[in-house]
Amino acid sequence: MAARSYGQYCGVTNAVELIGERWAMLIVRDLLVGPRRYTDLKRGLPRIPTNILSSRLRELQEGGVLRRVPLHNCGLVYELTPYGRALEPILLALGRWGFQTMGDPHEGDVVTADSLTMALRTSFQAERAADLDLELHVGDVALRVIVRSGALHVAQLAPAGPPGVAGPPSGEPEAIVVAGPGIRRLIGGEATPAEAVAQDHVAVVRGDERILDRFARTFHIAPLPLLGP
Amino acid sequence: MAARSYGQYCGVTNAVELIGERWAMLIVRDLLVGPRRYTDLKRGLPRIPTNILSSRLRELQEGGVLRRVPLHNCGLVYELTPYGRALEPILLALGRWGFQTMGDPHEGDVVTADSLTMALRTSFQAERAADLDLELHVGDVALRVIVRSGALHVAQLAPAGPPGVAGPPSGEPEAIVVAGPGIRRLIGGEATPAEAVAQDHVAVVRGDERILDRFARTFHIAPLPLLGP
DNA sequence: CCGGATCCGAATCGATACTG
DNA sequence: CAGTATCGATTCGGATCCGG
């Protein structure tokens, strides 16, 4: 038997053998946002060693989770197969689960464009969504977030995002929102928009501050009733 | 920063730091069936080294996923916290996902009572469920499977299962079904009940063979429309 | 710059033995 | 029963290097 096999004939075990290795889930998370080059993935996962990234991409390809696609001009991108895309609801649920106990960031923790994009998808409340068009800045990341007729669209703006994946959104956003990691409190319902602004977790640098009410209603992760004991 | 941290402030990342280490998900899988002693877990995960089991149990406890509960008479059990139980839908979805590409078992692969119990929960179709009461044998594992009014009850019978967790089910089952790993084909819809019997994947050693029709309707994992390319 | 491959020390994992 | 201790085998992390 393969030395490092779990040795069980079971669906969960097979899943974990496909995507349970270190970094694999985070690679899938980033690819759920869209196809990515090797270099994009490396930038989106700053602490991954390049040999591990190589190995994981090969293993995920062999497992049928992703494939390499040569680009017509030059280079290549990695993209999820339909089987890999079927992980989306699982990754979203895992993101909601992990959100509950995130606490404050550790020193050196970063927020990447892809992780913030997935966090927005994770917390998106299609039922209660209000129409919305804003620019969201967290650290170095800048996103254009548009909600229209119950659908969420996120585009990554120039600095440190693969450009041109979706064309530049048209028109001006209603507001520009600058936030820190404390935006978690707003999404988690720990803080009201007014409190989040008062405590400097979020600032509206252009536009009407009341957009935060719609934001908080649209992006929300309800706390679990019991987190202990 | 912690040397082995992913270095990202993100819900998925936090989740993976809590339950992404090797073996952790399988420990959670077994504990979703019920509280388990150290020795039960070791028997349910035959290839886990004991030092790893110890480490994982400590880490999962520190992460708030499980807790140790001393028993009144003697010994102790591990059980999921409410936060840990919130992983159930995620584990079930992961089991369905992994089921799609399970193939045939590798040499030495085993089926455990807890993994088979979770596989039944994974594939249970509450909507289409038919009433059912059977004894299911796969390898060394014997389960009493009862479906009544749309609810699934699984009890692990004597050999190699922690006894008395739920009292012995009353009465006699309608049928006794003996299966091998090829039961996957029946659940996945690759084989009809008649085909599964003809190819020796399943045998009804007592009772009416037509119980397999109800079984296949009740436990089913629809194949994904596209598994490639 | 892109897409890796190679090398090496550190940390983790796997197997077995042993203990209160 | 519920773990610790030990030790070799793997894997991971960090850095460098290389061919297009």
Side-chain angles (χ1 to χ4, degrees):
Chain A
M1 187 194 321
R4 214 173 136 84
S5 159
Y6 291 102
Q8 303 203 355
Y9 189 63
C10 150
V12 175
T13 304
N14 187 46
V16 170
E17 292 195 332
L18 287 171
I19 54 160
E21 293 296 294
R22 202 164 160 73
W23 293 104
M25 291 266 207
L26 301 186
I27 292 171
V28 172
R29 178 200 65 187
D30 284 8
L31 290 179
L32 279 169
V33 178
R36 292 287 181 267
R37 310 169 145 274
Y38 185 91
T39 317
D40 299 329
L41 291 168
K42 201 167 71 165
R43 191 174 38 224
L45 304 167
R47 303 205 42 174
I48 195 174
T50 66
N51 55 345
I52 298 297
L53 179 54
S54 277
S55 306
R56 292 296 170 271
L57 290 171
R58 184 172 7 88
E59 294 156 10
L60 290 170
Q61 184 181 10
E62 286 165 3
V65 176
L66 57 80
R67 61 186 157 196
R68 313 165 101 230
V69 179
L71 293 180
H72 55 289
N73 29 16
C74 67
L76 63 141
V77 293
Y78 295 89
E79 72 175 15
L80 295 177
T81 61
Y83 188 51
R85 273 197 298 279
L87 287 167
E88 177 162 8
I90 296 173
L91 263 285
L92 293 178
L94 211 51
R96 271 188 293 276
W97 185 82
F99 179 90
Q100 310 286 335
T101 58
M102 271 179 59
D104 287 317
H106 298 142
E107 179 186 323
D109 276 5
V110 298
V111 172
T112 67
D114 288 341
S115 74
L116 185 56
T117 301
M118 287 301 287
L120 290 172
R121 288 196 198 170
T122 285
S123 58
F124 182 62
Q125 303 285 316
E127 318 296 306
R128 304 182 185 177
D131 277 9
L132 207 58
D133 182 348
L134 57 81
E135 210 175 288
L136 176 62
H137 294 251
V138 179
D140 300 335
V141 176
L143 302 180
R144 178 74 173 267
V145 182
I146 300 177
V147 177
R148 191 146 30 213
S149 52
L152 168 64
H153 309 272
V154 180
Q156 303 183 358
L157 304 181
V165 168
S170 53
E172 286 292 304
E174 294 178 64
I176 298 181
V177 176
V178 177
I183 194 176
R184 167 181 65 82
R185 298 173 188 280
L186 186 59
I187 293 174
E190 287 176 62
T192 64
E195 288 163 356
V197 168
Q199 294 166 31
D200 268 346
H201 297 135
V202 185
V204 178
V205 299
R206 212 173 71 203
D208 188 335
E209 205 164 83
R210 285 174 301 178
I211 196 173
L212 292 180
D213 294 327
R214 277 178 287 146
F215 181 90
R217 185 151 33 111
T218 304
F219 301 99
H220 181 63
I221 295 180
L224 287 174
L226 279 172
L227 267 182
Chain B
M1 190 192 321
R4 213 173 136 85
S5 159
Y6 291 102
Q8 303 203 354
Y9 190 63
C10 149
V12 174
T13 304
N14 186 47
V16 170
E17 293 196 330
L18 287 171
I19 53 160
E21 293 296 294
R22 204 165 158 71
W23 293 104
M25 291 264 206
L26 301 186
I27 292 171
V28 172
R29 177 199 66 186
D30 284 9
L31 290 179
L32 279 169
V33 178
R36 290 289 182 264
R37 310 169 146 275
Y38 184 91
T39 317
D40 300 328
L41 292 168
K42 198 169 73 168
R43 190 173 41 226
L45 304 167
R47 302 203 44 171
I48 195 174
T50 64
N51 56 347
I52 299 296
L53 178 55
S54 279
S55 306
R56 290 298 169 271
L57 289 172
R58 185 171 8 88
E59 293 155 11
L60 290 170
Q61 186 181 11
E62 286 165 3
V65 176
L66 57 79
R67 61 187 156 196
R68 312 164 101 231
V69 180
L71 293 180
H72 56 290
N73 30 14
C74 66
L76 62 139
V77 292
Y78 295 88
E79 71 174 17
L80 295 178
T81 61
Y83 188 51
R85 273 196 298 280
L87 287 167
E88 177 161 9
I90 295 173
L91 263 287
L92 292 178
L94 211 51
R96 272 187 292 276
W97 186 81
F99 179 92
Q100 309 286 336
T101 58
M102 269 178 62
D104 288 317
H106 298 144
E107 179 185 323
D109 276 5
V110 299
V111 173
T112 67
D114 287 340
S115 74
L116 184 56
T117 301
M118 286 301 287
L120 290 172
R121 287 196 198 171
T122 285
S123 58
F124 183 61
Q125 303 284 317
E127 319 295 306
R128 304 180 185 179
D131 278 8
L132 208 59
D133 182 348
L134 57 81
E135 210 176 286
L136 176 64
H137 294 251
V138 179
D140 301 335
V141 175
L143 301 182
R144 178 73 172 269
V145 182
I146 300 177
V147 177
R148 192 146 31 214
S149 50
L152 168 64
H153 309 273
V154 180
Q156 302 183 357
L157 304 180
V165 169
S170 53
E172 287 292 303
E174 291 178 67
I176 297 180
V177 177
V178 177
I183 195 177
R184 167 179 65 83
R185 298 173 188 279
L186 186 58
I187 293 174
E190 287 176 62
T192 64
E195 288 164 356
V197 168
Q199 295 166 29
D200 268 345
H201 297 134
V202 184
V204 179
V205 299
R206 213 174 70 203
D208 187 337
E209 204 166 82
R210 286 173 302 178
I211 195 173
L212 292 180
D213 294 325
R214 278 180 287 146
F215 181 89
R217 187 154 30 109
T218 304
F219 301 100
H220 180 65
I221 295 180
L224 287 176
L226 279 172
L227 268 183

